Amino acid sequence: MSDLEVGQQSPPMPAQTPRQRRRQQQQARLEQASMAGGDGQEKTILMRCPLVNGIEDNWTWSKRFRSKEVVLSGSNLRTVHFHPNWSKGTAGIQGKRPLNNGRYYWELHVSQRVFGTSIMFGIGTRNCRLHANAFRNMLGENEHGWGLSHKGVLWHKGVALLYTKRFRENHPTQIGVLFDGIEGTLTYYKDGKCLGVAFRGLDKVEEPLYPIVCSTAAKTEMTLKCARREFVNLQDRCRAVIMRRLRTAADLEKLKLPLPITEYLGEVIDDKEPLRQVNGYEMCMMDLN
């Protein structure tokens, strides 16, 4: 679609890794919270937001740092409308929340108008471009931005990496973004499911970083529904220093630390395979589809 268009014995269970034990414990806490009651909105946040022990973070979008093809509306101007009439380029907008040195999570509800060259979610500096008179993957076209396209591709410094499945076109979706300024990572969630760590090394960025979204598709709509932040303590900072020396779960197990410490340190280990760069042919096929 164009941007221009409007009884058997169970076998023994394998030993759990620290990460699996952590997830099991978190699920148990969520079930307890659900049984305890509370209103529907509170349950929704608990089930989707990874920062369950954090607090609400009432930031919104910047009226100053945005494309001329972006209109804001709704409660606290949290809804973004891209290209309200028709599209002839790429439009972006920056959030007001500076992210460095903290942990933040925000969730975007995207309307069913998911199509076109590129709809992107991520972060960037003040030097990140917010408007282009062409259809392009604008967030991550240079060193100032880190973005995920609706085609499942990550962008930074103009390099594209395969990350997840292409989003289903013309169906609404929910995208969560978890920024960890202590560990230096950016992680995405889609419809409540964690997609894994997308970017690393963000703790080395000295310039202020902000949430950014952009779109080439006409009449795209995104609403900031959930935003939370976490207090960062000395324990978190110590873990970040320790884990710079440990790369895998096997390295951590060799230390033979008490189980609670091993579990805490293991929360930030990601044993997934490295992402593969998208070649020119694959990029052309994505555009054609």
Side-chain angles (χ1 to χ4, degrees):
M1 192 169 183
S2 168
D3 297 285
L4 298 174
E5 295 184 46
V6 187
Q8 291 184 347
Q9 184 177 1
S10 301
M13 295 294 291
Q16 288 183 317
T17 65
R19 171 171 289 188
Q20 291 171 330
R21 285 194 294 268
R22 171 66 176 174
R23 287 177 178 170
Q24 187 177 43
Q25 292 167 359
Q26 185 179 27
Q27 182 63 33
R29 286 198 301 269
L30 292 174
E31 291 175 356
Q32 290 173 0
S34 178
M35 293 174 62
D39 58 32
Q41 183 179 4
E42 181 179 346
K43 289 182 184 179
T44 298
I45 292 175
L46 281 172
M47 292 302 290
R48 290 177 182 163
C49 179
L51 299 184
V52 292
N53 296 319
I55 61 173
E56 278 193 55
D57 191 22
N58 288 319
W59 62 268
T60 189
W61 304 105
S62 172
K63 291 189 287 186
R64 177 182 177 187
F65 296 100
R66 59 171 171 161
S67 163
K68 59 185 178 182
E69 289 294 315
V70 167
V71 175
L72 298 174
S73 68
S75 175
N76 199 23
L77 301 180
R78 282 192 159 197
T79 297
V80 182
H81 304 269
F82 296 94
H83 314 286
N85 298 311
W86 62 84
S87 175
K88 54 184 178 181
T90 312
I93 187 168
Q94 180 178 288
K96 290 184 176 181
R97 162 56 66 195
L99 299 168
N100 309 58
N101 303 317
R103 288 196 179 101
Y104 300 90
Y105 175 82
W106 59 100
E107 189 172 271
L108 299 157
H109 291 210
V110 187
S111 70
Q112 65 182 11
R113 297 186 64 81
V114 178
F115 63 92
T117 301
S118 187
I119 300 175
M120 305 192 75
F121 319 85
I123 63 173
T125 71
R126 288 277 196 229
N127 293 317
C128 193
R129 184 161 59 151
L130 297 176
H131 185 83
N133 292 318
F135 302 132
R136 61 185 304 112
N137 296 286
M138 190 166 65
L139 184 56
E141 64 181 354
N142 52 35
E143 70 274 19
H144 303 300
W146 295 257
L148 168 64
S149 160
H150 77 286
K151 295 180 179 177
V153 177
L154 298 174
W155 287 88
H156 178 56
K157 292 185 177 180
V159 176
L161 299 175
L162 287 175
Y163 176 64
T164 188
K165 294 179 181 178
R166 184 188 183 115
F167 297 6
R168 189 177 179 184
E169 291 199 351
N170 297 311
H171 281 77
T173 188
Q174 299 170 13
I175 302 300
V177 187
L178 175 63
F179 176 86
D180 190 330
I182 308 305
E183 303 296 338
T185 59
L186 190 71
T187 303
Y188 290 97
Y189 294 72
K190 186 178 186 299
D191 298 323
K193 179 182 178 181
C194 180
L195 301 179
V197 174
F199 298 105
R200 299 183 182 276
L202 297 170
D203 53 324
K204 307 294 193 303
V205 179
E206 297 181 356
E207 297 176 77
L209 294 167
Y210 301 87
I212 293 178
V213 290
C214 60
S215 176
T216 62
K219 301 181 181 180
T220 310
E221 181 181 302
M222 300 184 196
T223 301
L224 180 62
K225 287 285 188 179
C226 171
R228 296 180 71 82
R229 63 185 175 91
E230 185 178 86
F231 292 111
V232 179
N233 54 36
L234 180 59
Q235 179 174 278
D236 292 328
R237 296 182 180 275
C238 290
R239 177 174 65 179
V241 173
I242 293 170
M243 296 313 294
R244 287 173 189 161
R245 302 286 183 139
L246 304 176
R247 300 298 181 186
T248 66
D251 293 336
L252 181 57
E253 293 293 340
K254 290 177 183 178
L255 297 180
K256 301 187 183 303
L257 298 170
L259 181 59
I261 299 178
T262 300
E263 290 179 341
Y264 177 70
L265 294 176
E267 289 177 7
V268 297
I269 293 178
D270 183 13
D271 289 333
K272 288 189 174 182
E273 293 292 326
L275 300 176
R276 180 173 65 82
Q277 186 170 343
V278 182
N279 58 42
Y281 172 77
E282 291 172 321
M283 191 60 63
C284 289
M285 292 302 296
M286 288 180 183
D287 292 337
L288 287 173
N289 290 334

